[in-house]
Structures are given as structure tokens and as C-alpha cells.
């Protein structure tokens, strides 16, 4: 393969990725963090134990039909996560009708091995 062919392929790939990003087609999903580099969700040797972590962030979206909420959250040191945009399932007792996009909130996550569920959401000061 010539250098020109390689260059054209790289350019086409970059254009495709840019188009997806501009179209809003790429979002982080509530997937196990073990699959993402540097995102084990493990706090020391307690990787298999159920963990609870508190976080602060802004509500980006609410999917009431699937009972999920998306946050732009700050780093969560308790589970070694950096700040990111991520969707989480919420337990049934969390009233998502009171949660609105754009609100700054505190929330609690519970889970293990990088897979977490929202346990509570409260307004942040």
C-alpha cells in the first residue's frame, strides 16, 4: 500500500469519526468500566466487593422510559473514575420525574467491578 493510499484511508477515518462526534452519535454508556483503559472501577483490592460512591455532576439527560439518567460528573475518587459524561440505570425508588437536564446534583452510586446503579439523587448546593 502506498503512502498516498494510507493517507487517504486515515483522512477518511478521521472524517467519519468527526462526523459521528458532530452528529452527537457517540456517548458513554453504562458499560462495565473494566473494558475501558484506565477505568477499572476498582478501589484497591476490593474489586469484587459491592461499593458505594458519592459524586457531583450536572444532569445531561433523563430517560424515564428506561429509568436511566446521564450525568456530566466530576471525578469520583472512591472508584478511581475521572470526570466524564455517562449514563447510569437508577433504582426504581429514584423519582426521575423530579430530575431535570441542566441541574447540578449530588448522587450516590452502588455496584461492583465497574458496573454501577444510581441509588439517590439530590440537588447540589
Amino acid at each position: 500500500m502506498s503512502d498516498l493510499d494510507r493517507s487517504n484511508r486515515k483522512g477518511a477515518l478521521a472524517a467519519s469519526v468527526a462526523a459521528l462526534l458532530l452528529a452527537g452519535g457517540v456517548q458513554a454508556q453504562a458499560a462495565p468500566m473494566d473494558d475501558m483503559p484506565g477505568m477499572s472501577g476498582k478501589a484497591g483490592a476490593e474489586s469484587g466487593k459491592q461499593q458505594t460512591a458519592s459524586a457531583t455532576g450536572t444532569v445531561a439527560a433523563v430517560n424515564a422510559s428506561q429509568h436511566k439518567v446521564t450525568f456530566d460528573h466530576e471525578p469520583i475518587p472512591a472508584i478511581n473514575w475521572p470526570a466524564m459524561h455517562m449514563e447510569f440505570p437508577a433504582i426504581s425508588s429514584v423519582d426521575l420525574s423530579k430530575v431535570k437536564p441542566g441541574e447540578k446534583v449530588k448522587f450516590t452510586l452502588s455496584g461492583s467491578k465497574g458496573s454501577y446503579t444510581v441509588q439517590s439523587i439530590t440537588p447540589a448546593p
Side-chain angles (χ1 to χ4, degrees), residues 54-58 71-85 88 104-107 109 124:
S54 295
T56 303
T58 302
F71 297 110
D72 287 318
H73 67 75
E74 295 175 5
I76 309 175
I79 53 178
N80 299 320
W81 283 4
M84 67 180 130
H85 177 90
F88 294 95
K104 186 156 177 126
V105 295
K106 289 185 176 188
F107 59 99
L109 300 172

Side-chain angles (χ1 to χ4, degrees), residues 58-62 99-103:
T58 302
V59 176
V62 178
V99 180
K100 305 293 181 221
E103 286 184 314

Side-chain angles (χ1 to χ4, degrees), residues 7-81:
S7 178
N8 286 341
R9 284 185 179 204
K10 286 181 183 177
L13 178 61
S16 296
V17 169
L20 277 172
L21 291 171
L22 288 172
V26 177
Q27 285 189 30
Q29 297 296 314
M33 291 289 118
D34 294 341
D35 297 341
M36 297 174 71
M39 293 294 305
S40 67
K42 299 175 184 173
E46 300 180 331
S47 61
K49 284 178 87 173
Q50 189 80 357
Q51 294 177 268
T52 300
S54 295
T56 303
T58 302
V59 176
V62 178
N63 183 336
S65 66
Q66 292 186 3
H67 211 69
K68 294 181 179 182
V69 60
T70 303
F71 297 110
D72 287 318
H73 67 75
E74 295 175 5
I76 309 175
I79 53 178
N80 299 320
W81 283 4

Side-chain angles (χ1 to χ4, degrees), residues 1-13:
M1 179 180 291
S2 74
D3 287 339
L4 181 58
D5 289 337
R6 276 192 205 101
S7 178
N8 286 341
R9 284 185 179 204
K10 286 181 183 177
L13 178 61

